[in-house]
Amino acid sequence: MQNRLRAEAAAVLADNWLGASTVPSRRLYPHQWNWDSALIAFGLRHVDVGRARQEISTLLAAQWANGMVPHIIFDAATAHGDYHPNAGFWNSRGAPGAPAAETSGITQPPVAAPAALAVHRHTADLDWLREIYPKLVAYQRFLTEHRNVGGHGLVSIVHPWESLDNSPAWDAALAAVTVPADLEGYTRHDLKHAPAADRPTADEYDRYVHLVALRRAAGYGGDGLAEHPFLVEDPLTNAITVWAAQSLAEIATLLDEDPAPHRATAARVREAMLAHMWDPAANLFRARDARTATPVAADTVAGFMPLLDPELPDDIVDGLVQSLCHKRFWPSDGFPIASQAMDSPGFDASRYWRGPAWVNTNWLIWTGLRAHGRHALAAELAAATLDMVRRGGWREHFSPLTGEGHGATNFSWTAALTIDLLDGLDGLDG
Ligand code: DGY
């Protein structure tokens, strides 16, 4: 049974392989995505470590001069009409410091450093690690310096696509963005490949496109970033930044480089998260609007991500575990972990990040629980996630009520992280 699941997952990854990277899904996302690739590498390392390494190398080859690793790297062989906003809309080649490949001009959570370390553990190839280390360091610096827009050490995202696209955590910040009446026209290709009820709304999409147009007009640079109308400090992005800093410290040690600056970054971002994002009444980390310096009310799965930090204080871990096990996130007769608490007024079991459970966030929480020695709960979460995939298929996201699959089909990170979960159950991972 498990062998069959693993074989099917490997077949999804083989189908989605472009030759030097993996598409998240052939139809809905026909290019390379940043954190998709890094998460895919965690699974691919068990199947074909050469491909796992190439996945990360291809991603980093598209790095911008300022260190940014873009959220999409466009596949030149895929028609422009298959995805929007396409390469022409982003027009990266018109911006200073862009790489040779056509890319988007925003980024995504820096899973690449933890993925590189995990892949290295399967190859012990120090030459590869040495080659990519400076790029990983530059990516990290881009986030912790250029994106420290609020000035107290937290990374700001500048677009919902940099994190959990239509999360309710962005609603208030997005509502304050004024979409011009003459917004340039566009066609939503996503609605050809997934039901509208699973996707962001038309109003949200207009705002996404307008925010891209604003960043494009700014050449995707740092000048005037403080005036950008969408600046949110997100617990998921910041927790992954801490995780990346810890991975970079380990990589530095392997390479006889100095790990101390990375440890200092991890400590600084952790302290800032504890000071500005931790809500002891809710036992959850919250996003924060960097423009208004106010915490965001939405209770979302992003709030659990600091579990990835092995140095998170024990009382905070206890609080997070208490929230995680509550039926608002982990229904007793459904599937974990809802992306928005199920008792929230806007909860929607099928719409992208407004309620569905996702394999990647479950996997990140599973990784965090294990880092804190919470092995029994981690195993329970892994088993429930695998059940959900068996029931719902290789889908992008799942109803936490029924386990029914939604969004894209043959979705790569669902397949890759299933392989890693199965490997974890076998106790074979490292
Ligand atoms: C999409 O097209 O929905 C993607 O999530 C954008 O990155």
Side-chain angles (χ1 to χ4, degrees):
M1 182 76 168
Q2 296 204 347
N3 282 344
R4 203 177 77 206
L5 200 61
R6 191 188 296 252
E8 276 184 28
V12 169
L13 295 178
D15 281 349
N16 289 346
W17 178 245
L18 276 183
S21 66
T22 309
V23 292
S25 146
R26 283 273 171 193
R27 283 188 287 279
L28 193 51
Y29 310 108
H31 302 281
Q32 182 177 21
W33 260 258
N34 177 333
W35 75 319
D36 291 74
S37 272
L39 291 168
I40 289 164
F42 271 98
L44 256 188
R45 70 191 166 136
H46 304 294
V47 176
D48 181 337
V49 80
R51 255 162 68 204
R53 213 166 25 198
Q54 209 177 348
E55 191 82 46
I56 295 171
S57 295
T58 307
L59 174 65
L60 296 175
Q63 186 164 44
W64 287 50
N66 64 4
M68 180 177 71
V69 178
H71 102 294
I72 302 175
I73 297 131
F74 289 99
D75 174 40
T78 298
H80 265 209
D82 289 354
Y83 179 79
H84 192 85
N86 61 22
F89 189 90
W90 286 96
N91 189 25
S92 59
R93 289 197 173 136
E102 291 188 291
T103 77
S104 69
I106 57 174
T107 191
Q108 273 184 330
V111 181
L117 181 61
V119 170
H120 168 75
R121 291 200 176 117
H122 281 239
T123 60
D125 178 353
L126 277 181
D127 289 343
W128 176 69
L129 218 45
R130 190 165 286 113
E131 179 191 317
I132 62 171
Y133 176 67
K135 298 181 185 189
L136 294 169
V137 172
Y139 182 12
Q140 187 77 349
R141 203 170 287 141
F142 166 79
L143 293 167
T144 56
E145 292 177 10
H146 176 111
R147 287 300 186 81
N148 178 13
V149 190
H152 46 258
L154 291 168
V155 179
S156 280
I157 60 168
V158 302
H159 195 293
W161 285 339
E162 293 199 316
S163 179
L164 309 182
D165 309 57
N166 70 341
S167 170
W170 325 137
D171 285 359
L174 268 189
V177 172
T178 310
V179 177
D182 61 347
L183 180 72
E184 57 197 279
Y186 64 92
T187 304
R188 282 193 59 180
H189 293 284
D190 61 320
L191 299 182
K192 296 179 196 154
H193 307 303
D198 294 2
R199 299 288 301 167
T201 62
D203 181 61
E204 283 160 345
Y205 232 82
D206 277 355
R207 287 162 204 276
Y208 300 159
V209 169
H210 173 54
L211 288 173
V212 170
L214 287 177
R215 292 303 297 141
R216 185 183 60 200
Y220 303 114
D223 289 349
L225 199 56
E227 311 314 317
H228 185 63
F230 182 91
L231 294 170
V232 180
E233 293 157 353
D234 161 38
L236 179 137
T237 303
N238 281 279
I240 292 180
T241 301
V242 172
W243 190 33
Q246 286 157 334
S247 302
L248 286 171
E250 279 194 56
I251 295 173
T253 305
L254 287 167
L255 296 176
D256 283 328
E257 302 276 350
D258 184 7
H262 304 304
R263 298 217 174 97
T265 299
R268 206 170 51 242
V269 180
R270 175 188 312 119
E271 286 313 312
M273 291 186 79
L274 288 169
H276 299 288
M277 291 181 163
W278 176 240
D279 179 346
N283 274 330
L284 203 62
F285 285 82
R286 294 193 174 285
R288 188 169 174 281
D289 189 322
R291 288 176 56 87
T292 58
T294 47
V296 170
D299 291 349
T300 77
V301 68
F304 295 113
M305 295 304 146
L307 282 172
L308 285 164
D309 176 5
E311 291 172 57
L312 196 68
D314 283 346
D315 56 325
I316 308 271
V317 175
D318 287 342
L320 285 174
V321 165
Q322 205 181 312
S323 299
L324 186 71
C325 294
H326 194 281
K327 62 181 190 307
R328 60 203 300 257
F329 281 106
W330 189 332
S332 45
D333 48 358
F335 293 86
I337 300 294
S339 46
Q340 168 170 215
M342 295 171 67
D343 56 357
S344 308
F347 171 78
D348 182 335
S350 65
R351 201 182 287 281
Y352 219 33
W353 290 104
R354 300 182 87 85
W358 289 67
V359 171
N360 70 324
T361 39
N362 284 8
W363 179 88
L364 288 163
I365 294 169
W366 173 76
T367 302
L369 289 172
R370 297 199 315 164
H372 291 282
R374 310 280 174 135
H375 294 290
L377 187 59
E380 229 183 290
L381 179 58
T385 306
L386 293 172
D387 253 12
M388 183 171 83
V389 171
R390 280 190 197 99
R391 185 173 300 224
W394 302 110
R395 300 298 295 270
E396 187 178 12
H397 48 88
F398 302 82
S399 162
L401 301 171
T402 63
E404 188 191 343
H406 289 278
T409 52
N410 271 7
F411 197 64
S412 293
W413 80 31
T414 299
L417 299 176
T418 291
I419 294 172
D420 201 57
L421 287 173
L422 287 169
D423 201 79
L425 288 185
D426 291 347
L428 296 174
D429 63 329

